[in-house]
Amino acid sequence: MSSIYEKYQLKPVINASGRMTLLGVSTPAPEVVDAACHGMAHYFEMADLVDKTGAYIAGLLEAEAATIVSCASAGIALSVAAVIVRDNPALLVQLHAAPIDGPDEIVLAKGHNVNYGAPVATMVALGGGKVVEAGWANECTPAQLSAAVTPRTAAILYIKSHHAVQKSMPTVEEAAAVARAYGVPLIVDAAAEEDLNRYYRQGADLVIYSGAKAMEGPSSGLVLGRRQYVEWVKLQGKGIGRAMKIGKEGILGLTAAVERYLSAPKSSGAEMARRLEPLLARLNHLPGVRARLAWDSAGRDIARAEVAFDPAQAGLDAAAAAQRLKAGTPAVYCREYHANEGRLEFDIRSVDDQQLDTLGHCIETLLKER
Ligand SMILES: *Cc1c(COP(=O)(O)O)cnc(C)c1O
């Protein structure tokens, strides 16, 4: 449907940045699109649809319960609201309007208090919670996490993400042990993670995933966990959850995406590495450019091309190269997290072979122009 690009005069994009929200995240498989289309074309008793798809997914993932929400950000806000409101009918419809008598503090390692495109703390506030930071920017021991827990604590929130500080942070199991010791729930934001079982098994009461990231579903989110907490998340549909409603197409699309994700063969890091070889060789011919394979810093099975720019020889630095690539046609988006250290990363999970060739050409052209 290239006419969409023409009709609205949209710029074609090569997404070498991974599951990037700025570009629309991912491209669901045909069977996922079919399920979403079926959802759009039919009516359902919506509560029934939510319950049955949630139970189906919970069965697939061997969790007590699950429910589909509009995105992972909504999942964070709704999980926070769930542990604060629980089944209090007055508070459900008065969150943000009435004072909260019970626990409303959400304990979070300071190194987890990040901005993933929007701040975690904004979602906590949206759910009626108050962030309490534990430890330091570069350190949080289980003892420091424990020290932040008080009778006002509604939950511990753990951000499992490449955005968070990785070193000297507690593990999910350690956070779960602290949560159990103090009788508070543990919420894990695993929005972009690939393992749909691990954090629940490690003791989280609620685990949140972004439907469009690893699972490549439509715009959606998944909250799974212990039955009581998931029920309280669902109850928020009569409260703040109404402003984050997901439609029947998203619910059926994500359910199909979860099922597919568990059964379809995954492209492995080794396969990405093989596909990247010609690009690396091509870029290493360019003056002032050094390209090598780099594995995901957060430990996921993802291989990327790491491209370092020597401004003296290449004629431009990494940040300028990224700007120029985005400004070109097609617009090439890469990962710029290390641009300040002189490196860009190219993630080819959403790049087909023809685009991979175009990408190499765009970088060559950029350097020849200098
Ligand atoms: C992407 C992301 C989110 C938000 O996911 P959405 O589905 O876009 O709302 C939340 N937390 C982390 C760590 C993320 O990477």
Side-chain angles (χ1 to χ4, degrees), residues 202-294:
Q202 289 176 342
D205 296 284
L206 289 170
V207 191
I208 299 150
Y209 294 92
S210 190
K213 289 183 179 170
M215 289 178 265
E216 297 184 80
S219 187
S220 57
L222 176 66
V223 181
L224 61 88
R226 297 170 64 90
R227 191 176 316 282
Q228 180 64 88
Y229 291 107
V230 172
E231 285 307 317
W232 288 337
V233 168
K234 286 192 206 169
L235 204 54
Q236 286 297 318
K238 297 190 167 80
I240 63 163
R242 184 58 185 255
M244 311 168 196
K245 185 170 72 173
I246 179 153
K248 50 198 174 26
E249 67 284 1
I251 293 174
L252 286 167
L254 182 61
T255 307
V258 173
E259 190 152 30
R260 180 178 189 279
Y261 182 69
L262 295 174
S263 58
K266 286 188 196 42
S267 77
S268 65
E271 195 179 311
M272 296 174 210
R274 253 195 320 279
R275 286 187 66 213
L276 280 165
E277 265 171 35
L279 178 71
L280 296 176
R282 191 169 173 182
L283 298 183
N284 276 322
H285 280 117
L286 299 171
V289 172
R290 266 181 306 108
R292 65 177 193 101
L293 204 65

Coordinates of all heavy atoms in Angstrom, one line a residue, residues 202-294:
Q202 N 9.9 -16.0 38.7 CA 10.8 -15.5 39.6 C 10.2 -14.8 40.8 O 10.8 -14.2 41.7 CB 11.9 -14.5 39.0 CG 12.8 -15.3 38.0 CD 13.8 -14.4 37.3 OE1 13.6 -13.2 37.1 NE2 14.8 -15.0 36.8
G203 N 8.8 -14.7 40.8 CA 8.1 -14.2 42.0 C 7.4 -12.9 41.8 O 6.9 -12.4 42.8
A204 N 7.3 -12.4 40.6 CA 6.5 -11.1 40.4 C 5.0 -11.4 40.6 O 4.6 -12.5 40.2 CB 6.8 -10.5 39.1
D205 N 4.3 -10.5 41.2 CA 2.8 -10.6 41.3 C 2.1 -10.1 40.0 O 1.1 -10.6 39.7 CB 2.4 -9.8 42.5 CG 2.9 -10.4 43.8 OD1 2.5 -11.5 44.2 OD2 3.9 -9.9 44.3
L206 N 2.7 -9.1 39.4 CA 2.2 -8.6 38.1 C 3.4 -8.4 37.2 O 4.4 -7.8 37.6 CB 1.5 -7.3 38.3 CG 0.1 -7.3 39.0 CD1 -0.4 -5.9 39.3 CD2 -0.9 -8.1 38.1
V207 N 3.3 -8.8 35.9 CA 4.4 -8.5 34.9 C 3.7 -7.9 33.7 O 2.7 -8.3 33.3 CB 5.1 -9.8 34.5 CG1 6.3 -9.5 33.7 CG2 5.4 -10.7 35.7
I208 N 4.4 -6.9 33.2 CA 3.8 -6.0 32.1 C 4.7 -6.1 30.9 O 5.9 -6.0 31.0 CB 3.8 -4.6 32.6 CG1 2.8 -4.4 33.8 CG2 3.3 -3.7 31.5 CD1 3.2 -3.3 34.7
Y209 N 4.0 -6.4 29.8 CA 4.8 -6.4 28.5 C 4.1 -5.5 27.5 O 2.9 -5.3 27.6 CB 4.7 -7.9 27.9 CG 5.5 -8.9 28.7 CD1 4.8 -9.6 29.7 CD2 6.8 -9.1 28.5 CE1 5.5 -10.6 30.4 CE2 7.5 -10.0 29.2 CZ 6.9 -10.7 30.2 OH 7.6 -11.7 31.0
S210 N 4.9 -5.0 26.6 CA 4.3 -4.2 25.5 C 4.0 -5.1 24.3 O 4.8 -5.9 23.9 CB 5.4 -3.2 25.0 OG 4.8 -2.2 24.1
G211 N 2.7 -5.1 23.8 CA 2.3 -6.0 22.8 C 3.0 -5.9 21.5 O 3.1 -6.9 20.8
A212 N 3.4 -4.7 21.2 CA 4.0 -4.5 19.8 C 5.5 -4.7 19.8 O 6.0 -4.7 18.7 CB 3.6 -3.1 19.4
K213 N 6.1 -4.8 20.9 CA 7.6 -5.0 20.9 C 7.9 -6.4 20.6 O 7.7 -6.9 19.5 CB 8.2 -4.5 22.2 CG 8.1 -3.0 22.3 CD 8.7 -2.4 23.6 CE 8.6 -0.9 23.7 NZ 9.0 -0.4 25.0
A214 N 8.5 -7.2 21.5 CA 9.0 -8.6 21.2 C 7.9 -9.4 20.5 O 8.1 -10.2 19.6 CB 9.5 -9.2 22.5
M215 N 6.6 -9.3 21.0 CA 5.6 -10.2 20.5 C 5.1 -9.8 19.1 O 4.3 -10.5 18.5 CB 4.4 -10.2 21.5 CG 4.7 -10.9 22.8 SD 3.3 -10.8 23.9 CE 3.8 -9.4 24.9
E216 N 5.4 -8.5 18.7 CA 5.0 -8.0 17.4 C 3.5 -8.1 17.2 O 3.1 -8.5 16.1 CB 5.8 -8.8 16.3 CG 7.3 -8.6 16.3 CD 8.0 -9.2 15.2 OE1 8.0 -8.6 14.1 OE2 8.5 -10.3 15.4
G217 N 2.8 -7.7 18.2 CA 1.3 -7.6 18.1 C 0.9 -6.2 17.7 O 1.8 -5.4 17.4
P218 N -0.4 -6.0 17.6 CA -0.8 -4.6 17.4 C -0.5 -3.7 18.6 O 0.0 -4.3 19.6 CB -2.3 -4.7 17.2 CG -2.7 -6.0 17.9 CD -1.5 -6.9 17.9
S219 N -0.7 -2.4 18.6 CA -0.5 -1.6 19.7 C -1.4 -2.1 20.9 O -2.6 -2.1 20.8 CB -0.9 -0.1 19.3 OG -0.6 0.7 20.3
S220 N -0.7 -2.5 21.9 CA -1.4 -3.2 23.0 C -0.4 -3.5 24.2 O 0.8 -3.2 24.0 CB -2.0 -4.5 22.6 OG -1.0 -5.4 22.0
G221 N -0.9 -4.0 25.3 CA 0.0 -4.4 26.4 C -0.6 -5.6 27.0 O -1.8 -5.9 26.9
L222 N 0.3 -6.3 27.7 CA -0.2 -7.6 28.4 C 0.2 -7.4 29.9 O 1.3 -7.1 30.2 CB 0.5 -8.8 27.8 CG 0.2 -10.1 28.4 CD1 -1.2 -10.5 28.3 CD2 1.1 -11.2 27.8
V223 N -0.7 -7.7 30.8 CA -0.4 -7.8 32.2 C -0.8 -9.2 32.7 O -1.9 -9.6 32.5 CB -1.3 -6.7 33.0 CG1 -0.9 -6.8 34.5 CG2 -1.0 -5.3 32.5
L224 N 0.2 -9.9 33.2 CA -0.1 -11.2 33.7 C 0.4 -11.3 35.1 O 1.2 -10.5 35.6 CB 0.6 -12.3 32.8 CG 2.1 -12.3 32.7 CD1 2.7 -13.1 33.8 CD2 2.4 -12.9 31.3
G225 N -0.2 -12.3 35.8 CA 0.3 -12.4 37.2 C -0.7 -13.2 38.1 O -1.4 -14.1 37.6
R226 N -0.7 -12.9 39.3 CA -1.5 -13.6 40.3 C -2.9 -13.1 40.2 O -3.2 -12.0 39.9 CB -0.9 -13.4 41.7 CG 0.5 -14.1 41.8 CD 1.2 -13.7 43.0 NE 0.5 -14.3 44.2 CZ 0.7 -15.5 44.7 NH1 1.6 -16.3 44.1 NH2 0.0 -15.9 45.7
R227 N -3.9 -14.1 40.3 CA -5.3 -13.8 40.0 C -5.8 -12.6 40.6 O -6.5 -11.8 40.0 CB -6.1 -15.1 40.4 CG -7.5 -15.0 39.8 CD -8.3 -16.3 40.1 NE -7.5 -17.5 39.9 CZ -7.3 -18.0 38.7 NH1 -7.8 -17.5 37.6 NH2 -6.6 -19.1 38.6
Q228 N -5.6 -12.5 42.0 CA -6.3 -11.3 42.7 C -5.8 -10.0 42.1 O -6.6 -9.1 41.9 CB -6.0 -11.4 44.2 CG -6.6 -10.3 45.0 CD -8.1 -10.3 44.9 OE1 -8.7 -10.9 45.8 NE2 -8.7 -9.6 44.0
Y229 N -4.5 -9.9 41.8 CA -4.0 -8.6 41.3 C -4.5 -8.3 39.9 O -4.8 -7.2 39.6 CB -2.5 -8.6 41.4 CG -1.9 -8.6 42.8 CD1 -1.4 -9.7 43.4 CD2 -2.1 -7.4 43.6 CE1 -0.9 -9.6 44.7 CE2 -1.6 -7.3 44.9 CZ -1.1 -8.5 45.5 OH -0.7 -8.4 46.8
V230 N -4.5 -9.4 39.1 CA -5.0 -9.2 37.7 C -6.5 -8.8 37.7 O -6.9 -7.9 37.0 CB -4.8 -10.4 36.8 CG1 -5.5 -10.3 35.5 CG2 -3.3 -10.7 36.7
E231 N -7.3 -9.3 38.7 CA -8.7 -8.9 38.8 C -8.8 -7.4 39.1 O -9.6 -6.7 38.6 CB -9.4 -9.8 39.8 CG -9.8 -11.2 39.4 CD -10.5 -11.2 38.0 OE1 -11.5 -10.4 37.9 OE2 -10.2 -12.0 37.2
W232 N -7.9 -7.0 40.0 CA -7.9 -5.6 40.4 C -7.5 -4.7 39.2 O -8.0 -3.5 39.1 CB -7.0 -5.3 41.6 CG -7.6 -5.9 42.9 CD1 -8.9 -6.1 43.2 CD2 -6.9 -6.2 44.1 NE1 -9.1 -6.6 44.4 CE2 -7.8 -6.7 45.0 CE3 -5.5 -6.2 44.4 CZ2 -7.5 -7.1 46.3 CZ3 -5.2 -6.6 45.7 CH2 -6.1 -7.1 46.6
V233 N -6.6 -5.2 38.4 CA -6.2 -4.4 37.2 C -7.4 -4.3 36.3 O -7.8 -3.2 35.8 CB -5.1 -5.1 36.4 CG1 -4.9 -4.5 35.0 CG2 -3.8 -5.0 37.2
K234 N -8.2 -5.4 36.1 CA -9.4 -5.3 35.2 C -10.4 -4.4 35.8 O -11.1 -3.7 35.0 CB -10.0 -6.7 35.1 CG -9.3 -7.7 34.3 CD -10.2 -8.9 34.1 CE -9.4 -10.2 33.8 NZ -10.3 -11.4 33.9
L235 N -10.6 -4.4 37.1 CA -11.5 -3.5 37.7 C -11.3 -2.0 37.4 O -12.2 -1.2 37.3 CB -11.4 -3.7 39.3 CG -12.6 -3.3 40.2 CD1 -13.8 -4.1 39.7 CD2 -12.3 -3.7 41.6
Q236 N -10.0 -1.7 37.1 CA -9.7 -0.3 36.7 C -10.4 0.2 35.5 O -10.5 1.4 35.2 CB -8.2 -0.1 36.6 CG -7.5 -0.1 38.0 CD -7.9 1.1 38.8 OE1 -8.0 2.2 38.3 NE2 -8.1 0.8 40.1
G237 N -10.9 -0.8 34.7 CA -11.7 -0.4 33.5 C -12.9 0.5 33.8 O -13.4 1.2 33.0
K238 N -13.4 0.4 35.1 CA -14.5 1.3 35.6 C -13.9 2.5 36.2 O -14.7 3.3 36.8 CB -15.4 0.5 36.5 CG -16.0 -0.7 35.9 CD -17.1 -1.3 36.9 CE -18.0 -2.3 36.2 NZ -17.4 -3.6 36.1
G239 N -12.6 2.7 36.2 CA -12.0 3.9 36.8 C -11.1 4.5 35.7 O -11.5 4.7 34.6
I240 N -9.8 4.7 36.1 CA -8.9 5.4 35.1 C -8.7 4.6 33.9 O -8.3 5.1 32.8 CB -7.5 5.8 35.7 CG1 -6.7 4.5 36.2 CG2 -7.7 6.8 36.9 CD1 -5.3 4.8 36.4
G241 N -8.9 3.2 34.0 CA -8.7 2.4 32.8 C -9.5 2.7 31.6 O -9.2 2.4 30.5
R242 N -10.7 3.4 31.8 CA -11.5 3.7 30.7 C -10.8 4.7 29.7 O -11.1 4.7 28.5 CB -12.8 4.3 31.3 CG -13.9 4.7 30.2 CD -14.3 3.4 29.4 NE -15.2 3.7 28.3 CZ -16.5 3.5 28.3 NH1 -17.0 2.9 29.3 NH2 -17.2 3.8 27.3
A243 N -9.9 5.5 30.3 CA -9.2 6.4 29.4 C -8.1 5.7 28.6 O -7.4 6.4 27.9 CB -8.7 7.6 30.2
M244 N -7.9 4.4 28.9 CA -6.8 3.7 28.3 C -7.4 2.4 27.6 O -6.7 1.4 27.5 CB -5.7 3.2 29.3 CG -5.3 4.3 30.2 SD -4.3 3.7 31.6 CE -4.4 5.1 32.7
K245 N -8.6 2.5 27.1 CA -9.3 1.4 26.7 C -8.7 0.8 25.4 O -8.2 1.5 24.5 CB -10.8 1.8 26.3 CG -11.7 0.6 25.9 CD -13.1 1.1 25.9 CE -13.3 2.0 24.7 NZ -14.8 2.3 24.5
I246 N -8.7 -0.6 25.3 CA -8.2 -1.2 24.1 C -9.5 -1.8 23.4 O -10.4 -2.3 24.0 CB -7.2 -2.3 24.4 CG1 -6.8 -3.0 23.1 CG2 -7.7 -3.3 25.4 CD1 -5.4 -3.6 23.1
G247 N -9.4 -1.8 22.1 CA -10.6 -2.3 21.3 C -10.5 -3.8 21.1 O -9.5 -4.4 21.3
K248 N -11.6 -4.4 20.5 CA -11.6 -5.8 20.3 C -10.6 -6.2 19.3 O -10.0 -7.3 19.4 CB -13.1 -6.2 19.8 CG -13.7 -5.4 18.7 CD -15.2 -5.6 18.7 CE -16.0 -4.7 17.8 NZ -15.5 -4.2 16.5
E249 N -10.2 -5.4 18.3 CA -9.2 -5.8 17.3 C -7.9 -5.9 18.0 O -7.1 -6.8 17.7 CB -9.2 -4.7 16.2 CG -8.7 -3.3 16.5 CD -9.7 -2.5 17.3 OE1 -10.8 -2.9 17.6 OE2 -9.4 -1.3 17.6
G250 N -7.6 -5.0 19.0 CA -6.3 -5.1 19.7 C -6.2 -6.4 20.6 O -5.2 -7.0 20.7
I251 N -7.3 -6.7 21.2 CA -7.4 -7.8 22.1 C -7.2 -9.1 21.3 O -6.3 -10.0 21.7 CB -8.7 -7.9 22.8 CG1 -8.9 -6.7 23.8 CG2 -8.9 -9.2 23.6 CD1 -10.2 -6.5 24.5
L252 N -7.9 -9.3 20.2 CA -7.8 -10.5 19.4 C -6.4 -10.5 18.7 O -5.8 -11.6 18.5 CB -8.9 -10.6 18.4 CG -10.2 -11.0 19.2 CD1 -11.4 -10.9 18.3 CD2 -10.1 -12.5 19.7
G253 N -5.9 -9.4 18.2 CA -4.6 -9.3 17.6 C -3.5 -9.8 18.5 O -2.7 -10.6 18.2
L254 N -3.5 -9.2 19.7 CA -2.5 -9.6 20.7 C -2.6 -11.1 21.1 O -1.5 -11.7 21.2 CB -2.4 -8.7 21.9 CG -1.3 -9.0 22.9 CD1 0.1 -8.9 22.2 CD2 -1.4 -8.2 24.2
T255 N -3.8 -11.6 21.3 CA -3.9 -13.0 21.7 C -3.3 -13.9 20.6 O -2.5 -14.8 20.9 CB -5.4 -13.3 21.9 OG1 -6.0 -12.4 22.8 CG2 -5.5 -14.7 22.4
A256 N -3.6 -13.5 19.3 CA -2.9 -14.3 18.2 C -1.4 -14.1 18.2 O -0.7 -15.1 17.9 CB -3.5 -13.9 16.9
A257 N -1.0 -12.9 18.5 CA 0.5 -12.6 18.5 C 1.2 -13.4 19.6 O 2.3 -13.9 19.4 CB 0.7 -11.1 18.7
V258 N 0.6 -13.5 20.8 CA 1.2 -14.3 21.9 C 1.4 -15.7 21.4 O 2.4 -16.3 21.6 CB 0.4 -14.2 23.2 CG1 0.9 -15.1 24.2 CG2 0.3 -12.8 23.7
E259 N 0.3 -16.3 20.9 CA 0.3 -17.7 20.5 C 1.4 -17.9 19.4 O 2.1 -18.9 19.5 CB -1.1 -18.1 20.0 CG -1.2 -19.5 19.7 CD -2.7 -20.0 19.9 OE1 -3.6 -19.2 19.6 OE2 -2.9 -21.1 20.3
R260 N 1.4 -17.0 18.5 CA 2.4 -17.1 17.4 C 3.8 -17.0 17.9 O 4.7 -17.8 17.6 CB 2.1 -16.0 16.3 CG 3.1 -16.1 15.2 CD 2.8 -15.0 14.2 NE 3.7 -15.3 13.0 CZ 5.0 -14.9 12.9 NH1 5.5 -14.3 13.9 NH2 5.7 -15.2 11.8
Y261 N 4.0 -16.0 18.8 CA 5.3 -15.8 19.4 C 5.9 -17.0 20.1 O 7.1 -17.3 20.0 CB 5.2 -14.6 20.4 CG 6.5 -14.2 21.1 CD1 7.5 -13.6 20.3 CD2 6.7 -14.5 22.4 CE1 8.7 -13.2 20.9 CE2 7.9 -14.1 23.0 CZ 8.9 -13.4 22.3 OH 10.1 -13.1 22.9
L262 N 5.0 -17.8 20.7 CA 5.4 -19.0 21.5 C 5.7 -20.1 20.5 O 6.5 -21.0 20.9 CB 4.3 -19.4 22.5 CG 4.1 -18.4 23.6 CD1 2.9 -18.8 24.4 CD2 5.3 -18.2 24.5
S263 N 5.1 -20.2 19.3 CA 5.3 -21.3 18.5 C 6.2 -21.1 17.3 O 6.9 -21.9 16.8 CB 3.9 -21.9 18.1 OG 3.2 -20.8 17.4
A264 N 6.1 -19.8 16.7 CA 6.8 -19.6 15.5 C 8.3 -19.5 15.7 O 8.8 -19.1 16.8 CB 6.4 -18.2 14.9
P265 N 9.1 -20.0 14.8 CA 10.6 -19.9 15.0 C 11.0 -18.5 15.1 O 10.6 -17.6 14.3 CB 11.1 -20.6 13.7 CG 10.0 -20.6 12.7 CD 8.7 -20.5 13.5
K266 N 11.9 -18.2 16.0 CA 12.4 -16.9 16.3 C 13.7 -16.7 15.5 O 14.4 -17.6 15.3 CB 12.7 -16.6 17.7 CG 11.4 -16.5 18.6 CD 11.8 -16.1 20.0 CE 10.7 -16.3 21.0 NZ 9.9 -17.5 20.8
S267 N 13.9 -15.4 15.0 CA 15.1 -15.2 14.4 C 16.1 -15.0 15.5 O 15.9 -14.2 16.4 CB 15.1 -14.0 13.5 OG 15.1 -12.8 14.2
S268 N 17.2 -15.8 15.4 CA 18.2 -15.8 16.5 C 19.2 -14.7 16.3 O 19.4 -14.2 15.2 CB 18.9 -17.2 16.6 OG 19.6 -17.3 15.4
G269 N 20.0 -14.4 17.4 CA 21.1 -13.5 17.3 C 22.1 -14.0 16.2 O 22.7 -13.2 15.5
A270 N 22.3 -15.3 16.2 CA 23.3 -15.9 15.3 C 22.9 -15.6 13.8 O 23.7 -15.2 13.0 CB 23.4 -17.4 15.5
E271 N 21.6 -15.7 13.6 CA 21.0 -15.4 12.3 C 21.2 -13.9 11.9 O 21.6 -13.6 10.8 CB 19.6 -15.8 12.2 CG 18.9 -15.9 10.9 CD 17.4 -16.3 11.1 OE1 17.2 -17.2 11.8 OE2 16.6 -15.6 10.5
M272 N 20.9 -13.0 12.9 CA 21.1 -11.6 12.6 C 22.6 -11.3 12.3 O 22.9 -10.6 11.4 CB 20.7 -10.8 13.9 CG 19.3 -10.9 14.2 SD 18.9 -10.1 15.8 CE 17.5 -11.0 16.4
A273 N 23.5 -12.0 13.1 CA 24.9 -11.8 12.9 C 25.3 -12.2 11.4 O 26.1 -11.5 10.8 CB 25.7 -12.7 13.9
R274 N 24.7 -13.3 10.9 CA 25.0 -13.8 9.6 C 24.5 -12.7 8.6 O 25.3 -12.4 7.6 CB 24.3 -15.1 9.3 CG 25.2 -16.3 9.2 CD 24.5 -17.5 8.6 NE 23.2 -17.7 9.0 CZ 22.8 -18.3 10.1 NH1 23.6 -18.7 11.0 NH2 21.5 -18.5 10.4
R275 N 23.3 -12.2 8.8 CA 22.8 -11.2 7.8 C 23.6 -9.9 7.8 O 23.6 -9.2 6.9 CB 21.3 -10.9 8.2 CG 20.3 -12.0 7.8 CD 18.9 -11.5 8.1 NE 18.6 -10.4 7.2 CZ 17.7 -9.4 7.5 NH1 17.2 -9.4 8.7 NH2 17.5 -8.5 6.6
L276 N 24.2 -9.6 9.0 CA 25.0 -8.4 9.1 C 26.4 -8.4 8.5 O 26.9 -7.4 8.2 CB 25.1 -8.0 10.6 CG 23.9 -7.4 11.3 CD1 24.0 -7.4 12.8 CD2 23.7 -5.9 10.8
E277 N 26.9 -9.6 8.2 CA 28.3 -9.7 7.7 C 28.6 -8.9 6.5 O 29.6 -8.1 6.5 CB 28.6 -11.2 7.4 CG 29.3 -11.9 8.6 CD 29.4 -13.4 8.4 OE1 29.6 -13.8 7.2 OE2 29.3 -14.1 9.3
P278 N 27.8 -9.0 5.4 CA 28.1 -8.1 4.3 C 28.1 -6.6 4.6 O 28.9 -5.9 4.0 CB 27.0 -8.5 3.3 CG 26.3 -9.7 3.8 CD 26.6 -9.8 5.2
L279 N 27.2 -6.2 5.4 CA 27.1 -4.8 5.8 C 28.4 -4.4 6.5 O 28.9 -3.3 6.2 CB 25.8 -4.5 6.7 CG 25.7 -3.0 7.1 CD1 25.3 -2.1 5.9 CD2 24.7 -2.9 8.2
L280 N 28.8 -5.2 7.5 CA 30.0 -4.9 8.2 C 31.2 -4.7 7.3 O 32.0 -3.8 7.4 CB 30.3 -5.9 9.3 CG 29.2 -6.1 10.4 CD1 29.6 -7.2 11.3 CD2 29.1 -4.8 11.2
A281 N 31.3 -5.7 6.4 CA 32.4 -5.7 5.4 C 32.4 -4.4 4.6 O 33.4 -3.7 4.4 CB 32.4 -6.9 4.5
R282 N 31.2 -4.1 4.1 CA 31.0 -2.9 3.3 C 31.4 -1.6 4.0 O 32.1 -0.8 3.5 CB 29.5 -2.9 2.9 CG 29.1 -1.9 1.8 CD 27.7 -2.2 1.4 NE 27.2 -1.2 0.5 CZ 26.0 -1.2 0.0 NH1 25.1 -2.2 0.3 NH2 25.6 -0.3 -0.9
L283 N 30.9 -1.5 5.3 CA 31.2 -0.3 6.0 C 32.7 -0.2 6.4 O 33.2 1.0 6.5 CB 30.3 -0.2 7.3 CG 28.8 -0.2 7.0 CD1 28.1 0.0 8.3 CD2 28.4 1.0 6.1
N284 N 33.3 -1.3 6.6 CA 34.7 -1.2 7.0 C 35.7 -0.8 5.8 O 36.8 -0.5 6.1 CB 35.2 -2.6 7.6 CG 34.8 -2.7 9.0 OD1 34.9 -1.7 9.8 ND2 34.4 -3.9 9.5
H285 N 35.1 -0.7 4.6 CA 35.9 -0.1 3.5 C 35.9 1.4 3.6 O 36.6 2.1 2.8 CB 35.3 -0.5 2.2 CG 35.8 -1.9 1.8 ND1 34.9 -3.0 1.6 CD2 37.0 -2.4 1.6 CE1 35.6 -4.0 1.4 NE2 36.9 -3.7 1.3
L286 N 35.0 2.0 4.4 CA 34.8 3.5 4.3 C 35.9 4.1 5.3 O 36.2 3.6 6.3 CB 33.4 3.9 4.8 CG 32.3 3.3 3.9 CD1 30.9 3.6 4.6 CD2 32.4 4.0 2.5
P287 N 36.4 5.3 4.8 CA 37.4 6.0 5.7 C 36.8 6.5 7.0 O 35.7 7.1 7.0 CB 37.9 7.1 4.8 CG 36.7 7.4 3.8 CD 36.1 6.0 3.6
G288 N 37.5 6.2 8.1 CA 37.0 6.8 9.4 C 35.9 6.0 10.0 O 35.3 6.5 11.0
V289 N 35.6 4.9 9.4 CA 34.4 4.1 9.9 C 34.9 2.7 10.4 O 35.7 2.1 9.6 CB 33.3 3.9 8.8 CG1 32.3 3.0 9.3 CG2 32.7 5.3 8.5
R290 N 34.6 2.3 11.6 CA 34.9 1.0 12.0 C 33.6 0.3 12.4 O 32.8 0.8 13.2 CB 35.8 1.0 13.2 CG 37.3 0.9 12.8 CD 38.2 0.9 14.1 NE 37.9 2.0 14.9 CZ 37.3 2.0 16.1 NH1 36.9 0.8 16.6 NH2 37.1 3.1 16.8
A291 N 33.3 -0.8 11.8 CA 32.0 -1.5 12.0 C 32.3 -2.9 12.6 O 33.2 -3.6 12.1 CB 31.2 -1.7 10.7
R292 N 31.6 -3.3 13.6 CA 31.7 -4.6 14.2 C 30.4 -5.1 14.7 O 29.5 -4.3 14.9 CB 32.8 -4.6 15.3 CG 32.4 -3.8 16.5 CD 33.5 -3.9 17.6 NE 33.0 -3.3 18.8 CZ 32.5 -4.1 19.9 NH1 32.6 -5.4 19.8 NH2 32.0 -3.5 20.9
L293 N 30.4 -6.4 15.1 CA 29.2 -7.0 15.6 C 29.1 -6.6 17.1 O 30.1 -6.7 17.8 CB 29.3 -8.5 15.4 CG 27.9 -9.3 15.4 CD1 27.1 -8.9 14.2 CD2 28.3 -10.8 15.3
A294 N 27.9 -6.3 17.6 CA 27.7 -6.0 19.0 C 26.5 -6.7 19.5 O 25.4 -6.7 18.9 CB 27.6 -4.5 19.2

